[in-house]
Amino acid sequence: MSDSAIKIENLSYRYEKGSLALHNINIEIKKGEFVGIIGQNGAGKSTLLKNITGLLRPTTGRVQVNGRDTINVPVSDLALEVGFVLQNPDRQLFAATVMEEVAYGPKNMGLSQEQIKERVDYALNAVGLSHLREAFPPALSKGDRAKVVIASVLAMGPQIIILDEPTSGQDYRGCYQIMDIAQEFNKRGHTLLVVTHHMALVAEYTNRTVVLMNGSVLMDASTREVFSHPDKLKMTHITPPQITQVARALQPRIPLSGTILNVKELGDELLALKGKKRGRVGSAG
């Protein structure tokens, strides 16, 4: 059995008005990966996601999801395999209560009442909204509205989850809450793709990052490797996280081991270096 969740081969997409949005994209995402997709506005990120979910069909090339060519699979069937959380949660909310919102997908799948309840309970518990099951979704905070949409997607049981700017408009706490939820899904075996302009979140959570520029893949490597090339990222008007830049500025004076992605890594490195220095002083005494 293939371990490929998404396989994109020579994908190009041209809109009806003639603009080429994607050019010869080749990406393979393995099951269980947590992948960030970054790039400046107009780089082709949203078009790529829509080709993966079947909302758009390739002009040339092909997209396979769990081994099936998306051109031959109805969007309704793909939705059972790929959960898509849009940037604006309000565009996906319509039910009178949180519970009804989350139950909508499983009901349309023809599941029994017991199965629906199990899925709703699981999804609401996973995003921490069990206590709000009777609430009116539009009346919730933006962070909780986003969690309702994520729960609705999770209740459908997809193995692949795509988050398109999930932290847009969120405060600091909300950003990390949502990404913690995504990370937990990944630990449970889901394949995660996240599109975001928040580089600190990409560095903190993803294992691999794909950089798009002008509809083509500029880089596709481990997240650490991607952020170790600031000059290349500059071509896309992207800068590494601030802590990565700080660590890079310190490296001429402090022998850090490599590219730093978050505050904890920098702290651990500095403490380790301090410990080594103390050890040498003790030995000399």
Side-chain angles (χ1 to χ4, degrees):
M1 183 179 292
S2 172
D3 64 349
S4 176
I6 300 168
K7 190 171 185 179
I8 302 169
E9 299 175 298
N10 304 315
L11 169 64
S12 292
Y13 183 81
R14 185 181 296 276
Y15 283 101
E16 290 183 3
K17 292 184 178 180
S19 59
L20 187 65
L22 298 174
H23 175 64
N24 199 36
I25 301 288
N26 287 278
I27 301 170
E28 183 173 7
I29 296 171
K30 302 292 186 182
K31 293 176 180 176
E33 283 196 280
F34 195 154
V35 181
I37 300 177
I38 64 176
Q40 66 193 99
N41 290 336
K45 303 185 297 297
S46 294
T47 304
L48 178 62
L49 298 187
K50 288 176 182 178
N51 271 270
I52 293 172
T53 57
L55 296 175
L56 296 176
R57 305 293 181 171
T59 302
T60 59
R62 68 175 182 168
V63 178
Q64 293 182 77
V65 172
N66 291 328
R68 297 201 294 170
D69 193 327
T70 58
I71 204 166
N72 300 319
V73 183
V75 174
S76 57
D77 286 356
L78 278 173
L80 301 179
E81 300 186 50
V82 184
F84 190 17
V85 178
L86 297 175
Q87 179 176 347
N88 184 353
D90 297 334
R91 298 175 66 179
Q92 289 178 268
L93 296 173
F94 56 87
T97 68
V98 168
M99 182 173 61
E100 290 176 56
E101 189 76 49
V102 178
Y104 181 80
K107 282 181 180 177
N108 280 328
M109 293 168 63
L111 301 181
S112 68
Q113 287 299 317
E114 183 179 353
Q115 289 173 314
I116 292 170
K117 183 180 183 305
E118 286 178 358
R119 291 203 180 202
V120 170
D121 289 346
Y122 166 74
L124 289 178
N125 183 62
V127 301
L129 290 184
S130 295
H131 62 297
L132 293 175
R133 61 176 58 236
E134 298 297 337
F136 180 49
L140 300 175
S141 68
K142 185 164 186 178
D144 284 344
R145 296 200 304 273
K147 292 176 187 176
V148 173
V149 173
I150 294 171
S152 299
V153 167
L154 185 62
M156 298 279 286
Q159 282 303 302
I160 302 167
I161 299 174
I162 298 176
L163 305 174
D164 186 7
E165 294 287 356
T167 61
S168 177
Q170 303 285 345
D171 60 17
Y172 180 89
R173 182 169 175 266
C175 287
Y176 281 89
Q177 280 184 334
I178 289 171
M179 292 304 292
D180 282 346
I181 289 169
Q183 187 177 60
E184 183 59 32
F185 292 164
N186 184 239
K187 288 178 180 177
R188 296 180 186 184
H190 293 276
T191 303
L192 265 292
L193 276 70
V194 60
V195 170
T196 181
H197 286 92
H198 198 318
M199 293 304 108
L201 295 179
V202 175
E204 183 82 25
Y205 290 93
T206 70
N207 308 118
R208 171 182 167 194
T209 298
V210 177
V211 185
L212 295 181
M213 185 176 79
N214 298 329
S216 298
V217 175
L218 177 67
M219 283 191 280
D220 180 358
S222 72
T223 299
R224 193 176 304 280
E225 175 66 17
V226 166
F227 285 127
S228 70
H229 296 282
D231 292 340
K232 204 167 186 180
L233 285 173
K234 193 174 181 179
M235 296 166 58
T236 69
H237 304 285
I238 289 173
T239 56
Q242 287 186 337
I243 195 66
T244 304
Q245 297 178 63
V246 168
R248 188 176 298 277
L250 291 173
Q251 281 177 333
R253 291 167 288 173
I254 300 174
L256 300 174
S257 63
T259 299
I260 299 295
L261 294 181
N262 55 60
V263 173
K264 183 179 183 302
E265 286 187 359
L266 180 58
D268 288 346
E269 288 253 358
L270 293 176
L271 287 173
L273 289 170
K274 187 176 182 180
K276 287 179 182 179
K277 186 175 180 180
R278 283 179 176 175
R280 287 196 296 270
V281 171
S283 298

PDB file of all heavy atoms in Angstrom, residues 99 102-103 106-107 111-126 130 133 151 154-157 188:
ATOM      1  N   MET A  99     -23.637  22.012  17.986  1.00  0.00           N
ATOM      2  CA  MET A  99     -23.844  20.580  17.808  1.00  0.00           C
ATOM      3  C   MET A  99     -24.429  20.257  16.430  1.00  0.00           C
ATOM      4  O   MET A  99     -23.975  19.338  15.750  1.00  0.00           O
ATOM      5  CB  MET A  99     -24.773  20.054  18.908  1.00  0.00           C
ATOM      6  CG  MET A  99     -25.018  18.553  18.861  1.00  0.00           C
ATOM      7  SD  MET A  99     -25.950  17.986  20.302  1.00  0.00           S
ATOM      8  CE  MET A  99     -27.466  18.927  20.115  1.00  0.00           C
ATOM      9  N   VAL A 102     -21.742  20.696  13.664  1.00  0.00           N
ATOM     10  CA  VAL A 102     -20.769  19.604  13.606  1.00  0.00           C
ATOM     11  C   VAL A 102     -21.418  18.313  13.110  1.00  0.00           C
ATOM     12  O   VAL A 102     -20.782  17.485  12.449  1.00  0.00           O
ATOM     13  CB  VAL A 102     -20.101  19.406  14.982  1.00  0.00           C
ATOM     14  CG1 VAL A 102     -19.112  18.246  14.952  1.00  0.00           C
ATOM     15  CG2 VAL A 102     -19.384  20.689  15.404  1.00  0.00           C
ATOM     16  N   ALA A 103     -22.704  18.145  13.393  1.00  0.00           N
ATOM     17  CA  ALA A 103     -23.408  16.919  13.004  1.00  0.00           C
ATOM     18  C   ALA A 103     -23.819  16.915  11.536  1.00  0.00           C
ATOM     19  O   ALA A 103     -24.147  15.850  10.988  1.00  0.00           O
ATOM     20  CB  ALA A 103     -24.654  16.733  13.883  1.00  0.00           C
ATOM     21  N   PRO A 106     -21.706  14.364   9.114  1.00  0.00           N
ATOM     22  CA  PRO A 106     -22.011  12.961   9.377  1.00  0.00           C
ATOM     23  C   PRO A 106     -23.432  12.561   9.004  1.00  0.00           C
ATOM     24  O   PRO A 106     -23.672  11.442   8.540  1.00  0.00           O
ATOM     25  CB  PRO A 106     -21.767  12.841  10.888  1.00  0.00           C
ATOM     26  CG  PRO A 106     -20.736  13.880  11.173  1.00  0.00           C
ATOM     27  CD  PRO A 106     -21.081  15.020  10.274  1.00  0.00           C
ATOM     28  N   LYS A 107     -24.412  13.481   9.214  1.00  0.00           N
ATOM     29  CA  LYS A 107     -25.794  13.172   8.820  1.00  0.00           C
ATOM     30  C   LYS A 107     -25.881  12.942   7.316  1.00  0.00           C
ATOM     31  O   LYS A 107     -26.544  12.004   6.853  1.00  0.00           O
ATOM     32  CB  LYS A 107     -26.728  14.310   9.226  1.00  0.00           C
ATOM     33  CG  LYS A 107     -27.106  14.338  10.693  1.00  0.00           C
ATOM     34  CD  LYS A 107     -28.060  15.493  11.000  1.00  0.00           C
ATOM     35  CE  LYS A 107     -28.428  15.508  12.468  1.00  0.00           C
ATOM     36  NZ  LYS A 107     -29.309  16.668  12.796  1.00  0.00           N
ATOM     37  N   LEU A 111     -24.886   8.257   8.301  1.00  0.00           N
ATOM     38  CA  LEU A 111     -24.510   7.495   9.487  1.00  0.00           C
ATOM     39  C   LEU A 111     -25.692   7.362  10.444  1.00  0.00           C
ATOM     40  O   LEU A 111     -26.646   8.151  10.398  1.00  0.00           O
ATOM     41  CB  LEU A 111     -23.342   8.186  10.195  1.00  0.00           C
ATOM     42  CG  LEU A 111     -22.057   8.371   9.385  1.00  0.00           C
ATOM     43  CD1 LEU A 111     -20.981   9.055  10.236  1.00  0.00           C
ATOM     44  CD2 LEU A 111     -21.532   7.031   8.859  1.00  0.00           C
ATOM     45  N   SER A 112     -25.616   6.384  11.313  1.00  0.00           N
ATOM     46  CA  SER A 112     -26.671   6.183  12.313  1.00  0.00           C
ATOM     47  C   SER A 112     -26.595   7.279  13.369  1.00  0.00           C
ATOM     48  O   SER A 112     -25.578   7.964  13.509  1.00  0.00           O
ATOM     49  CB  SER A 112     -26.502   4.819  12.982  1.00  0.00           C
ATOM     50  OG  SER A 112     -25.325   4.808  13.781  1.00  0.00           O
ATOM     51  N   GLN A 113     -27.667   7.435  14.152  1.00  0.00           N
ATOM     52  CA  GLN A 113     -27.693   8.441  15.202  1.00  0.00           C
ATOM     53  C   GLN A 113     -26.569   8.206  16.215  1.00  0.00           C
ATOM     54  O   GLN A 113     -25.949   9.160  16.703  1.00  0.00           O
ATOM     55  CB  GLN A 113     -29.047   8.419  15.913  1.00  0.00           C
ATOM     56  CG  GLN A 113     -30.194   8.994  15.097  1.00  0.00           C
ATOM     57  CD  GLN A 113     -29.963  10.460  14.751  1.00  0.00           C
ATOM     58  OE1 GLN A 113     -29.525  11.254  15.589  1.00  0.00           O
ATOM     59  NE2 GLN A 113     -30.233  10.828  13.503  1.00  0.00           N
ATOM     60  N   GLU A 114     -26.316   6.945  16.516  1.00  0.00           N
ATOM     61  CA  GLU A 114     -25.248   6.624  17.469  1.00  0.00           C
ATOM     62  C   GLU A 114     -23.884   7.018  16.905  1.00  0.00           C
ATOM     63  O   GLU A 114     -23.043   7.585  17.619  1.00  0.00           O
ATOM     64  CB  GLU A 114     -25.262   5.117  17.772  1.00  0.00           C
ATOM     65  CG  GLU A 114     -24.224   4.719  18.808  1.00  0.00           C
ATOM     66  CD  GLU A 114     -24.265   3.234  19.130  1.00  0.00           C
ATOM     67  OE1 GLU A 114     -25.184   2.536  18.639  1.00  0.00           O
ATOM     68  OE2 GLU A 114     -23.387   2.773  19.874  1.00  0.00           O
ATOM     69  N   GLN A 115     -23.655   6.730  15.616  1.00  0.00           N
ATOM     70  CA  GLN A 115     -22.376   7.094  14.995  1.00  0.00           C
ATOM     71  C   GLN A 115     -22.217   8.605  14.924  1.00  0.00           C
ATOM     72  O   GLN A 115     -21.119   9.135  15.138  1.00  0.00           O
ATOM     73  CB  GLN A 115     -22.295   6.491  13.587  1.00  0.00           C
ATOM     74  CG  GLN A 115     -22.133   4.982  13.574  1.00  0.00           C
ATOM     75  CD  GLN A 115     -22.238   4.421  12.160  1.00  0.00           C
ATOM     76  OE1 GLN A 115     -23.135   4.784  11.396  1.00  0.00           O
ATOM     77  NE2 GLN A 115     -21.307   3.542  11.812  1.00  0.00           N
ATOM     78  N   ILE A 116     -23.313   9.300  14.602  1.00  0.00           N
ATOM     79  CA  ILE A 116     -23.262  10.762  14.532  1.00  0.00           C
ATOM     80  C   ILE A 116     -22.890  11.339  15.891  1.00  0.00           C
ATOM     81  O   ILE A 116     -22.026  12.220  16.000  1.00  0.00           O
ATOM     82  CB  ILE A 116     -24.613  11.336  14.054  1.00  0.00           C
ATOM     83  CG1 ILE A 116     -24.866  10.952  12.592  1.00  0.00           C
ATOM     84  CG2 ILE A 116     -24.643  12.863  14.216  1.00  0.00           C
ATOM     85  CD1 ILE A 116     -26.272  11.252  12.112  1.00  0.00           C
ATOM     86  N   LYS A 117     -23.541  10.832  16.937  1.00  0.00           N
ATOM     87  CA  LYS A 117     -23.252  11.327  18.291  1.00  0.00           C
ATOM     88  C   LYS A 117     -21.793  11.079  18.663  1.00  0.00           C
ATOM     89  O   LYS A 117     -21.128  11.948  19.245  1.00  0.00           O
ATOM     90  CB  LYS A 117     -24.162  10.649  19.309  1.00  0.00           C
ATOM     91  CG  LYS A 117     -23.967  11.179  20.733  1.00  0.00           C
ATOM     92  CD  LYS A 117     -24.893  10.494  21.713  1.00  0.00           C
ATOM     93  CE  LYS A 117     -24.737  11.086  23.114  1.00  0.00           C
ATOM     94  NZ  LYS A 117     -23.351  11.060  23.616  1.00  0.00           N
ATOM     95  N   GLU A 118     -21.283   9.897  18.321  1.00  0.00           N
ATOM     96  CA  GLU A 118     -19.888   9.571  18.631  1.00  0.00           C
ATOM     97  C   GLU A 118     -18.940  10.545  17.933  1.00  0.00           C
ATOM     98  O   GLU A 118     -17.977  11.037  18.538  1.00  0.00           O
ATOM     99  CB  GLU A 118     -19.568   8.141  18.201  1.00  0.00           C
ATOM    100  CG  GLU A 118     -20.168   7.068  19.099  1.00  0.00           C
ATOM    101  CD  GLU A 118     -19.866   5.675  18.595  1.00  0.00           C
ATOM    102  OE1 GLU A 118     -19.214   5.555  17.524  1.00  0.00           O
ATOM    103  OE2 GLU A 118     -20.279   4.699  19.256  1.00  0.00           O
ATOM    104  N   ARG A 119     -19.234  10.836  16.664  1.00  0.00           N
ATOM    105  CA  ARG A 119     -18.362  11.736  15.899  1.00  0.00           C
ATOM    106  C   ARG A 119     -18.443  13.168  16.422  1.00  0.00           C
ATOM    107  O   ARG A 119     -17.425  13.856  16.504  1.00  0.00           O
ATOM    108  CB  ARG A 119     -18.715  11.685  14.414  1.00  0.00           C
ATOM    109  CG  ARG A 119     -18.369  10.362  13.757  1.00  0.00           C
ATOM    110  CD  ARG A 119     -18.197  10.523  12.282  1.00  0.00           C
ATOM    111  NE  ARG A 119     -17.867   9.279  11.614  1.00  0.00           N
ATOM    112  CZ  ARG A 119     -17.259   9.211  10.431  1.00  0.00           C
ATOM    113  NH1 ARG A 119     -16.938  10.320   9.789  1.00  0.00           N
ATOM    114  NH2 ARG A 119     -16.988   8.050   9.888  1.00  0.00           N
ATOM    115  N   VAL A 120     -19.642  13.610  16.742  1.00  0.00           N
ATOM    116  CA  VAL A 120     -19.816  14.973  17.264  1.00  0.00           C
ATOM    117  C   VAL A 120     -19.105  15.107  18.604  1.00  0.00           C
ATOM    118  O   VAL A 120     -18.371  16.085  18.839  1.00  0.00           O
ATOM    119  CB  VAL A 120     -21.310  15.324  17.397  1.00  0.00           C
ATOM    120  CG1 VAL A 120     -21.479  16.642  18.166  1.00  0.00           C
ATOM    121  CG2 VAL A 120     -21.951  15.434  16.024  1.00  0.00           C
ATOM    122  N   ASP A 121     -19.305  14.140  19.486  1.00  0.00           N
ATOM    123  CA  ASP A 121     -18.664  14.188  20.805  1.00  0.00           C
ATOM    124  C   ASP A 121     -17.138  14.193  20.656  1.00  0.00           C
ATOM    125  O   ASP A 121     -16.440  14.958  21.346  1.00  0.00           O
ATOM    126  CB  ASP A 121     -19.090  12.988  21.656  1.00  0.00           C
ATOM    127  CG  ASP A 121     -20.539  13.085  22.117  1.00  0.00           C
ATOM    128  OD1 ASP A 121     -21.123  14.188  22.011  1.00  0.00           O
ATOM    129  OD2 ASP A 121     -21.080  12.069  22.576  1.00  0.00           O
ATOM    130  N   TYR A 122     -16.640  13.333  19.782  1.00  0.00           N
ATOM    131  CA  TYR A 122     -15.182  13.258  19.572  1.00  0.00           C
ATOM    132  C   TYR A 122     -14.632  14.582  19.049  1.00  0.00           C
ATOM    133  O   TYR A 122     -13.629  15.111  19.551  1.00  0.00           O
ATOM    134  CB  TYR A 122     -14.858  12.136  18.584  1.00  0.00           C
ATOM    135  CG  TYR A 122     -13.441  12.183  18.053  1.00  0.00           C
ATOM    136  CD1 TYR A 122     -12.365  11.805  18.865  1.00  0.00           C
ATOM    137  CD2 TYR A 122     -13.177  12.611  16.760  1.00  0.00           C
ATOM    138  CE1 TYR A 122     -11.060  11.860  18.386  1.00  0.00           C
ATOM    139  CE2 TYR A 122     -11.873  12.671  16.277  1.00  0.00           C
ATOM    140  CZ  TYR A 122     -10.826  12.290  17.095  1.00  0.00           C
ATOM    141  OH  TYR A 122      -9.532  12.359  16.609  1.00  0.00           O
ATOM    142  N   ALA A 123     -15.301  15.141  18.029  1.00  0.00           N
ATOM    143  CA  ALA A 123     -14.808  16.364  17.395  1.00  0.00           C
ATOM    144  C   ALA A 123     -14.859  17.549  18.354  1.00  0.00           C
ATOM    145  O   ALA A 123     -13.909  18.345  18.432  1.00  0.00           O
ATOM    146  CB  ALA A 123     -15.614  16.662  16.135  1.00  0.00           C
ATOM    147  N   LEU A 124     -15.960  17.687  19.088  1.00  0.00           N
ATOM    148  CA  LEU A 124     -16.081  18.816  20.018  1.00  0.00           C
ATOM    149  C   LEU A 124     -15.076  18.689  21.160  1.00  0.00           C
ATOM    150  O   LEU A 124     -14.493  19.686  21.611  1.00  0.00           O
ATOM    151  CB  LEU A 124     -17.501  18.894  20.580  1.00  0.00           C
ATOM    152  CG  LEU A 124     -18.577  19.356  19.592  1.00  0.00           C
ATOM    153  CD1 LEU A 124     -19.941  19.348  20.245  1.00  0.00           C
ATOM    154  CD2 LEU A 124     -18.254  20.757  19.059  1.00  0.00           C
ATOM    155  N   ASN A 125     -14.861  17.482  21.611  1.00  0.00           N
ATOM    156  CA  ASN A 125     -13.866  17.271  22.667  1.00  0.00           C
ATOM    157  C   ASN A 125     -12.460  17.589  22.158  1.00  0.00           C
ATOM    158  O   ASN A 125     -11.638  18.189  22.877  1.00  0.00           O
ATOM    159  CB  ASN A 125     -13.930  15.829  23.169  1.00  0.00           C
ATOM    160  CG  ASN A 125     -12.966  15.582  24.310  1.00  0.00           C
ATOM    161  OD1 ASN A 125     -13.065  16.186  25.371  1.00  0.00           O
ATOM    162  ND2 ASN A 125     -12.006  14.691  24.095  1.00  0.00           N
ATOM    163  N   ALA A 126     -12.189  17.223  20.904  1.00  0.00           N
ATOM    164  CA  ALA A 126     -10.860  17.443  20.334  1.00  0.00           C
ATOM    165  C   ALA A 126     -10.505  18.921  20.245  1.00  0.00           C
ATOM    166  O   ALA A 126      -9.335  19.298  20.388  1.00  0.00           O
ATOM    167  CB  ALA A 126     -10.775  16.807  18.942  1.00  0.00           C
ATOM    168  N   SER A 130     -16.861  21.174  23.930  1.00  0.00           N
ATOM    169  CA  SER A 130     -17.979  20.349  24.401  1.00  0.00           C
ATOM    170  C   SER A 130     -18.973  21.157  25.222  1.00  0.00           C
ATOM    171  O   SER A 130     -20.189  20.908  25.173  1.00  0.00           O
ATOM    172  CB  SER A 130     -17.453  19.179  25.242  1.00  0.00           C
ATOM    173  OG  SER A 130     -16.684  18.302  24.444  1.00  0.00           O
ATOM    174  N   ARG A 133     -21.852  23.189  23.037  1.00  0.00           N
ATOM    175  CA  ARG A 133     -22.582  22.465  21.995  1.00  0.00           C
ATOM    176  C   ARG A 133     -23.945  23.082  21.684  1.00  0.00           C
ATOM    177  O   ARG A 133     -24.436  22.966  20.563  1.00  0.00           O
ATOM    178  CB  ARG A 133     -22.721  20.981  22.350  1.00  0.00           C
ATOM    179  CG  ARG A 133     -23.481  20.696  23.620  1.00  0.00           C
ATOM    180  CD  ARG A 133     -23.650  19.191  23.851  1.00  0.00           C
ATOM    181  NE  ARG A 133     -22.385  18.500  23.909  1.00  0.00           N
ATOM    182  CZ  ARG A 133     -22.065  17.465  23.118  1.00  0.00           C
ATOM    183  NH1 ARG A 133     -22.923  17.006  22.231  1.00  0.00           N
ATOM    184  NH2 ARG A 133     -20.903  16.881  23.233  1.00  0.00           N
ATOM    185  N   ALA A 151     -13.930  21.427  13.963  1.00  0.00           N
ATOM    186  CA  ALA A 151     -14.666  20.266  14.489  1.00  0.00           C
ATOM    187  C   ALA A 151     -15.593  19.680  13.435  1.00  0.00           C
ATOM    188  O   ALA A 151     -15.726  18.452  13.309  1.00  0.00           O
ATOM    189  CB  ALA A 151     -15.463  20.675  15.731  1.00  0.00           C
ATOM    190  N   LEU A 154     -13.472  17.698  11.152  1.00  0.00           N
ATOM    191  CA  LEU A 154     -12.976  16.493  11.825  1.00  0.00           C
ATOM    192  C   LEU A 154     -14.062  15.434  11.939  1.00  0.00           C
ATOM    193  O   LEU A 154     -13.792  14.233  11.820  1.00  0.00           O
ATOM    194  CB  LEU A 154     -12.444  16.868  13.209  1.00  0.00           C
ATOM    195  CG  LEU A 154     -11.775  15.751  14.001  1.00  0.00           C
ATOM    196  CD1 LEU A 154     -10.548  15.239  13.271  1.00  0.00           C
ATOM    197  CD2 LEU A 154     -11.391  16.246  15.391  1.00  0.00           C
ATOM    198  N   ALA A 155     -15.303  15.853  12.147  1.00  0.00           N
ATOM    199  CA  ALA A 155     -16.409  14.910  12.303  1.00  0.00           C
ATOM    200  C   ALA A 155     -16.673  14.108  11.036  1.00  0.00           C
ATOM    201  O   ALA A 155     -17.290  13.041  11.088  1.00  0.00           O
ATOM    202  CB  ALA A 155     -17.680  15.659  12.714  1.00  0.00           C
ATOM    203  N   MET A 156     -16.210  14.627   9.900  1.00  0.00           N
ATOM    204  CA  MET A 156     -16.365  13.900   8.631  1.00  0.00           C
ATOM    205  C   MET A 156     -15.375  12.742   8.515  1.00  0.00           C
ATOM    206  O   MET A 156     -15.507  11.886   7.653  1.00  0.00           O
ATOM    207  CB  MET A 156     -16.162  14.866   7.463  1.00  0.00           C
ATOM    208  CG  MET A 156     -17.160  16.009   7.403  1.00  0.00           C
ATOM    209  SD  MET A 156     -18.710  15.514   6.676  1.00  0.00           S
ATOM    210  CE  MET A 156     -18.250  15.398   4.947  1.00  0.00           C
ATOM    211  N   GLY A 157     -14.366  12.750   9.366  1.00  0.00           N
ATOM    212  CA  GLY A 157     -13.400  11.657   9.383  1.00  0.00           C
ATOM    213  C   GLY A 157     -12.335  11.677   8.308  1.00  0.00           C
ATOM    214  O   GLY A 157     -11.813  10.610   7.952  1.00  0.00           O
ATOM    215  N   ARG A 188      -2.251  12.161  15.994  1.00  0.00           N
ATOM    216  CA  ARG A 188      -3.213  11.051  15.906  1.00  0.00           C
ATOM    217  C   ARG A 188      -3.189  10.378  14.533  1.00  0.00           C
ATOM    218  O   ARG A 188      -3.973   9.469  14.269  1.00  0.00           O
ATOM    219  CB  ARG A 188      -4.622  11.564  16.197  1.00  0.00           C
ATOM    220  CG  ARG A 188      -4.806  12.090  17.613  1.00  0.00           C
ATOM    221  CD  ARG A 188      -6.225  12.583  17.838  1.00  0.00           C
ATOM    222  NE  ARG A 188      -6.372  13.212  19.154  1.00  0.00           N
ATOM    223  CZ  ARG A 188      -7.511  13.658  19.645  1.00  0.00           C
ATOM    224  NH1 ARG A 188      -8.625  13.543  18.943  1.00  0.00           N
ATOM    225  NH2 ARG A 188      -7.551  14.222  20.832  1.00  0.00           N
TER     226      ARG A 188
END
